[in-house]
Amino acid sequence: AWTALRSGGGELEVKDHSNRDVAPGTLFLPMHFRTPPTNLVTPPELDPFGKIPQFKICAVALAPLSPPSTPQQPAAVSHAVG
């Protein structure tokens, strides 16, 4: 299913994959690849010690989407199934 991820930083449309290996209340979004551009939904602040982006700390809201009308390269996203 296609899902919108929304945060204070922005929004992404991604292909959602439910996965029982992901802890409840947790969302996994790869950040080492060109797609999805994870930094669109992560906060701009840096970790005070490492001076690196705080990618692991970001609250998002999930909203279901209809499949896109134009083909897009899907982004793999996994979240916990309850």
Side-chain angles (χ1 to χ4, degrees):
W2 285 89
T3 303
L5 300 180
R6 294 185 182 104
S7 75
E11 181 177 326
L12 282 177
E13 293 182 3
V14 295
K15 182 78 173 175
D16 180 6
H17 302 279
S18 297
N19 187 326
R20 295 191 186 280
D21 294 331
V22 177
T26 303
L27 175 82
F28 173 78
L29 187 65
M31 60 183 185
H32 299 289
F33 304 104
R34 175 184 251 178
T35 58
T38 304
N39 60 342
L40 290 178
V41 294
T42 57
E45 293 82 23
L46 297 179
D47 175 82
F49 301 104
K51 306 297 184 214
I52 58 173
Q54 297 184 21
F55 289 133
K56 295 181 181 180
I57 305 169
C58 182
V60 295
L62 304 176
L65 294 172
S66 300
S69 55
T70 57
Q72 296 181 6
Q73 182 176 358
V77 174
S78 295
H79 69 88
V81 238

